[in-house]
Amino acid sequence: MLAIFMQLTDKKVPTYYLEKSVMANKGVMPGMGFRPQPNVERNLINYNLQTADGIQGWKTYRNALHRHLLEYKKGGSEDRVDCSHIYSTNSTEEHHELEDGQFCEFDLKMFDDTPCTWDQDYGYARGNPCVIVKLNRIYNWKPVAYESEEHVPEEIMEYWSEERKDFIYVTCEGENEADRDNIGAIDLYSPFNNKSIGGIPFSFYPFRNQPGYQQPLVFAHFKDLHKGVLINVECRAFAANIDRQQGDRAFQRGSVHFEFLIDTPAGVRP
């Protein structure tokens, strides 16, 4: 019976998705994830600046992040499309549907001139780490733009514009006042090309299990973290169909939580 069932099951298209899935009663919207996460059961990025190797070494996180990015450098696909002309800063071209099976290429070269590269150890050796944040995959989910300025949340109002409405906006900050005091400055690197806020173009959606699909991401660079202090971080995604009120830790929809605890060498002040 199991063999018959497997033959009847479409390996590419899930039987239940979006409104038909078990998530529908809570609203269909993506959660968020972060990398590096060497231990998937822990949200804490904890290492000692004086130690390179071993469990407490910064190379553990640098290497985990690099392994994740290697997935983006695998062989090309004929269904991979260069969409940079659509979401470039000066583009007036509207978002449009790709042909069935096609998907937009996510080119890591956009990060070449940032601190978030292998050559710079993704900032971990200096205690100024880069962290990837991205939306989780939901089959056939599409982001929806805010209809007008009056619907735009206050957190992103400064950066939103009618010309750039076809973006999922992404923010990162300390979760509470003490965290915000200790977190220091944060730069966000993404196709939105504004270090004050991240942005993921609608062109990368929907995800339909396309072979070789590249999940879009935002790099958050934490430039001046206080050392020896536990710092809670929350990153959030904004679109008209990502419910901000429900983006809590219980379901991880529309947000992600992680922590930093970077230990300093003995005798060095944090």
Side-chain angles (χ1 to χ4, degrees), residues 32-178:
M32 295 184 75
F34 76 96
R35 294 291 186 276
Q37 195 177 15
N39 184 340
V40 296
E41 297 182 356
R42 299 184 65 191
N43 288 346
L44 175 64
I45 296 175
N46 174 218
Y47 65 93
N48 193 306
L49 272 176
Q50 196 176 29
T51 306
D53 301 305
I55 297 176
Q56 286 296 312
W58 56 263
K59 285 185 178 180
T60 297
Y61 294 94
R62 181 203 65 176
N63 294 346
L65 186 56
H66 192 65
R67 284 194 299 271
H68 182 73
L69 290 173
L70 288 177
E71 294 295 317
Y72 291 78
K73 299 180 180 181
K74 289 185 176 180
S77 167
E78 60 183 18
D79 293 322
R80 189 178 299 171
V81 179
D82 180 2
C83 299
S84 58
H85 61 288
I86 300 174
Y87 57 77
S88 64
T89 305
N90 300 317
S91 175
T92 57
E93 186 173 344
E94 294 185 359
H95 167 69
H96 65 277
E97 290 283 338
L98 299 176
E99 295 181 11
D100 187 41
Q102 290 185 329
F103 61 92
C104 287
E105 176 183 21
F106 194 85
D107 191 352
L108 296 180
K109 291 180 181 178
M110 73 177 78
F111 304 121
D112 282 354
D113 295 325
T114 76
C116 302
T117 64
W118 170 262
D119 290 342
Q120 300 196 50
D121 296 312
Y122 302 106
Y124 284 85
R126 296 179 297 279
N128 305 315
C130 293
V131 175
I132 288 172
V133 293
K134 55 185 179 179
L135 274 71
N136 298 335
R137 298 177 181 181
I138 295 183
Y139 185 88
N140 215 34
W141 180 84
K142 301 177 185 178
V144 175
Y146 295 106
E147 293 180 1
S148 62
E149 186 174 313
E150 64 185 49
H151 295 99
V152 177
E154 181 180 351
E155 294 92 330
I156 65 170
M157 177 65 74
E158 179 182 352
Y159 310 101
W160 185 89
S161 68
E162 184 69 29
E163 293 75 21
R164 311 209 79 190
K165 65 181 182 180
D166 288 344
F167 277 82
I168 299 171
Y169 288 74
V170 177
T171 64
C172 291
E173 63 178 0
E175 279 196 342
N176 54 53
E177 186 174 350

Side-chain angles (χ1 to χ4, degrees), residues 155-221:
E155 294 92 330
I156 65 170
M157 177 65 74
E158 179 182 352
Y159 310 101
W160 185 89
S161 68
E162 184 69 29
E163 293 75 21
R164 311 209 79 190
K165 65 181 182 180
D166 288 344
F167 277 82
I168 299 171
Y169 288 74
V170 177
T171 64
C172 291
E173 63 178 0
E175 279 196 342
N176 54 53
E177 186 174 350
D179 297 317
R180 288 188 284 274
D181 288 341
N182 290 320
I183 203 168
I186 306 170
D187 283 342
L188 298 172
Y189 297 101
S190 73
F192 195 76
N193 199 28
N194 184 326
K195 291 193 291 186
S196 297
I197 195 164
I200 298 173
F202 287 8
S203 309
F204 289 97
Y205 300 92
F207 163 68
R208 291 175 176 152
N209 275 334
Q210 303 98 316
Y213 176 81
Q214 297 177 316
Q215 196 170 356
L217 61 87
V218 173
F219 253 126
H221 178 219

Side-chain angles (χ1 to χ4, degrees), residues 47 225-231 260-264 269-270:
Y47 65 93
L225 287 173
H226 282 209
K227 309 304 186 290
V229 179
L230 180 66
I231 303 172
F260 286 112
L261 179 55
I262 300 178
D263 299 318
T264 55
R269 296 181 61 186

